[in-house]
Amino acid sequence: MQQFKTESKKLLDLMINSIYTNKEIFLRELISNASDAVDKLNFKSLSDSSIQLGNDDLAIRVSFDKDARTLTVSDNGIGMTAEDLEENLGTIAHSGSQEFKRENAEHQGGDVDIIGQFGVGFYSAFMVASKVRVVSRAFGEDTAHVWESDGLEGYTIEPGERAEHGTDVILTIRENVAGENGEPGENYDTYLSEWGLKDLIKRYSNYVRYPVQMMVTKSREKERPADAGDDYKPEYEDYEELETINSMTPIWKKRSSDVSEEDYNEFYKSTFHDFEDPARTVSFHAEGTLEYDALLYIPSRAPFDLYSKDYEKGLALYSSNVLIMEKCADLLPDYYNFVRGVVDSQDISLNISRETLQHDRQLKAIAKRVEKRVTSELEKMRDDDRETYEKFFENFGRGLKFGIYSSYGMKADELADLLLFWSARGNKMVTLAEYAAAMPEGQKAIYYAAGDDRERLAKMPVVKGVLDRGYDVLLLTADVDEFTFQAMRGYTAKHMPKVYED
Ligand code: ADP
Ligand code: MG
């Protein structure tokens, strides 16, 4: 048996027990490796005309055997020689993929999308497996090799059999662990179930660019016998079918001119679990030092828990089509907490667990741009489609006001023009700018009255008095309104100088 190299034993222990907070990501890591292996072969075939590949043949296959407690991730990618196995799997923190990327950097015509970079993802398999067996045959070689390890001491490499080039990573899944002292246990059996695996593939690897396939059990109606009478009850039978689980092309990477509104809406509804179409969809691609794609949605209605403390804001963060974080809160300011969507950047620096981001400078830059785009979309909605905007404001206006109030007015420049207030004279919602524009010569103040009930406010003698002088009065009925107005003083002084003239 070969011992793991260098300080690997310690490192491996650290890996398995502390780097990842979430065991289930092992599947994402293995599928990402399989995708990289397929990508490398695909890339090779592009630059070497002697390699003939039907693009449809390239695939990743996930299968399991409940009785043997094995889970297998197979690919028909580039495979590994005995030396590769030694170098890539025998040395922790050695990334063959990173090397590949470096070596081929000059011809990277955009058609390689290698995910690996740290050389540790593979070992996450030991979080759920007591043994890992890798059977691999490198492209162009006649023999296969088997790498095997329990993840503790070392590994063995022996000659083996594989019909074609590619790799099988076979995990022996650990036994369930019962919970103790109120602590939850560990249910490893999920990784030996069709729904459990399907769920993980869809969640983390849905947009991996090659098909991830699995045999799934389906049910169909048996053929109706010819002599079936009126009281015939249809019978059903189970059958197995190879299904592609992931949807592959990430909609946010497509040009928006190539995507129908319906497709955008469908993606929104299925991804963010809403049954109504979004009010607005914004998609953009950023280039420059930090390249990324963003797809943002402004929902039509507020989720039921928006104003509860359990509500989590955030955008989904992907790197090279692989999910890193379901809700990255740093990408959205609190007052835009209702925005849903996706940011995908190959450039964002991740640390080895991929779960902690390294540079929040990059995130901040993205967040800033996201905020700007949301603001300008809301302004457009306010100006071009007032009816929809009023509905939007009814749902989410409270958050915008809160943004001004809780920033002590610092966010007023950004948000004040998005606010709507009830105009007693116009009997409708107006912006502050509209209020100011309608002010007659000589009006020196913004008049507002705050209370619980709009009708009652409108009937108050003071309000009537002001209206009689030809001035409009804003009727404020929301709890944050008055505070918001106070916090906006600086803003109104700057933008509505008329109000403050002597
Ligand atoms: P990373 O993917 O970040 O490079 P991993 O620990 O996930 O690190 O994998 C280490 C290396 O092992 C990869 O860089 C790659 O060279 C090799 N490897 C892993 N899985 C496969 C596979 N299915 N086919 C070919 N090579 C693989
Ligand atoms: Mg990897």
Side-chain angles (χ1 to χ4, degrees), residues 289-359:
T289 42
L290 187 57
E291 215 177 304
Y292 57 92
D293 295 282
L295 174 58
L296 312 171
Y297 292 100
I298 298 168
S300 297
R301 51 179 201 103
F304 70 93
D305 57 347
L306 182 67
Y307 293 110
S308 86
K309 66 175 186 342
D310 297 330
Y311 181 80
E312 275 184 80
K313 64 165 183 167
L315 299 176
L317 181 66
Y318 284 77
S319 176
S320 297
N321 303 344
V322 176
L323 181 68
I324 305 301
M325 232 189 207
E326 221 146 351
K327 283 195 173 167
C328 181
D330 292 343
L331 288 171
L332 287 176
D334 283 341
Y335 42 87
Y336 288 161
N337 66 352
F338 51 84
V339 174
R340 317 303 297 268
V342 173
V343 166
D344 188 339
S345 176
Q346 219 176 321
D347 296 341
I348 201 147
S349 348
L350 306 168
N351 86 354
I352 52 175
S353 75
R354 298 179 207 275
E355 280 146 56
T356 341
L357 304 161
Q358 267 179 331
H359 280 302

Side-chain angles (χ1 to χ4, degrees), residues 152-170:
L152 295 173
E153 293 294 324
Y155 57 93
T156 55
I157 297 176
E158 275 161 17
E161 297 278 324
R162 199 178 193 277
E164 285 190 338
H165 58 88
T167 303
D168 307 305
V169 179
I170 306 154

Side-chain angles (χ1 to χ4, degrees), residues 29-30 32-33 36 97 115-122 354:
E29 296 299 327
L30 297 181
S32 296
N33 285 350
D36 283 352
S97 292
I115 303 157
Q117 62 181 128
F118 299 114
V120 295
F122 170 79
R354 298 179 207 275

Side-chain angles (χ1 to χ4, degrees), residues 258-491:
D258 295 342
V259 183
S260 68
E261 186 181 339
E262 206 175 2
D263 286 348
Y264 274 135
N265 291 351
E266 272 319 306
F267 177 78
Y268 167 78
K269 287 187 283 193
S270 60
T271 311
F272 301 110
H273 312 291
D274 197 348
F275 49 83
E276 244 177 88
D277 286 340
R280 280 290 191 281
T281 303
V282 180
S283 75
F284 63 93
H285 173 78
E287 306 231 10
T289 42
L290 187 57
E291 215 177 304
Y292 57 92
D293 295 282
L295 174 58
L296 312 171
Y297 292 100
I298 298 168
S300 297
R301 51 179 201 103
F304 70 93
D305 57 347
L306 182 67
Y307 293 110
S308 86
K309 66 175 186 342
D310 297 330
Y311 181 80
E312 275 184 80
K313 64 165 183 167
L315 299 176
L317 181 66
Y318 284 77
S319 176
S320 297
N321 303 344
V322 176
L323 181 68
I324 305 301
M325 232 189 207
E326 221 146 351
K327 283 195 173 167
C328 181
D330 292 343
L331 288 171
L332 287 176
D334 283 341
Y335 42 87
Y336 288 161
N337 66 352
F338 51 84
V339 174
R340 317 303 297 268
V342 173
V343 166
D344 188 339
S345 176
Q346 219 176 321
D347 296 341
I348 201 147
S349 348
L350 306 168
N351 86 354
I352 52 175
S353 75
R354 298 179 207 275
E355 280 146 56
T356 341
L357 304 161
Q358 267 179 331
H359 280 302
D360 33 84
R361 211 158 14 96
Q362 295 174 318
L363 275 192
K364 280 206 178 104
I366 301 177
K368 216 167 146 186
R369 178 90 186 268
V370 163
E371 178 175 346
K372 279 220 163 84
R373 287 304 296 256
V374 172
T375 304
S376 67
E377 193 63 29
L378 291 176
E379 287 168 350
K380 246 194 315 195
M381 203 198 311
R382 176 199 63 200
D383 298 340
D384 303 345
D385 185 359
R386 187 51 86 83
E387 200 179 316
T388 311
Y389 189 73
E390 282 183 18
K391 206 173 132 216
F392 158 82
F393 194 77
E394 216 171 277
N395 277 313
F396 305 111
R398 188 183 138 97
L400 303 186
K401 294 176 197 166
F402 217 78
I404 294 181
Y405 161 59
S406 63
S407 68
Y408 305 104
M410 307 233 289
K411 282 286 161 193
D413 275 345
E414 175 102 42
L415 299 173
D417 281 341
L418 294 175
L419 302 186
L420 296 177
F421 299 99
W422 187 262
S423 145
R425 194 166 63 184
N427 241 334
K428 60 175 186 190
M429 300 296 270
V430 296
T431 64
L432 286 179
E434 286 159 358
Y435 180 92
M439 279 169 33
E441 204 56 42
Q443 181 177 346
K444 294 274 167 60
I446 298 173
Y447 291 91
Y448 63 80
D452 291 335
D453 186 277
R454 196 197 292 153
E455 315 269 284
R456 206 149 352 123
L457 285 173
K459 287 189 190 128
M460 278 167 49
V462 255
V463 172
K464 285 189 147 166
V466 176
L467 285 171
D468 286 344
R469 283 162 67 191
Y471 303 162
D472 195 3
V473 182
L474 299 174
L475 305 182
L476 313 183
T477 50
D479 50 359
V480 293
D481 282 346
E482 247 191 302
F483 298 117
T484 307
F485 256 91
Q486 278 156 20
M488 277 193 304
R489 283 230 163 126
Y491 174 84

Side-chain angles (χ1 to χ4, degrees), residues 61-73:
R61 187 117 2 132
V62 175
S63 57
F64 63 96
D65 179 336
K66 225 173 159 155
D67 300 325
R69 292 195 73 79
T70 56
L71 165 63
T72 304
V73 179

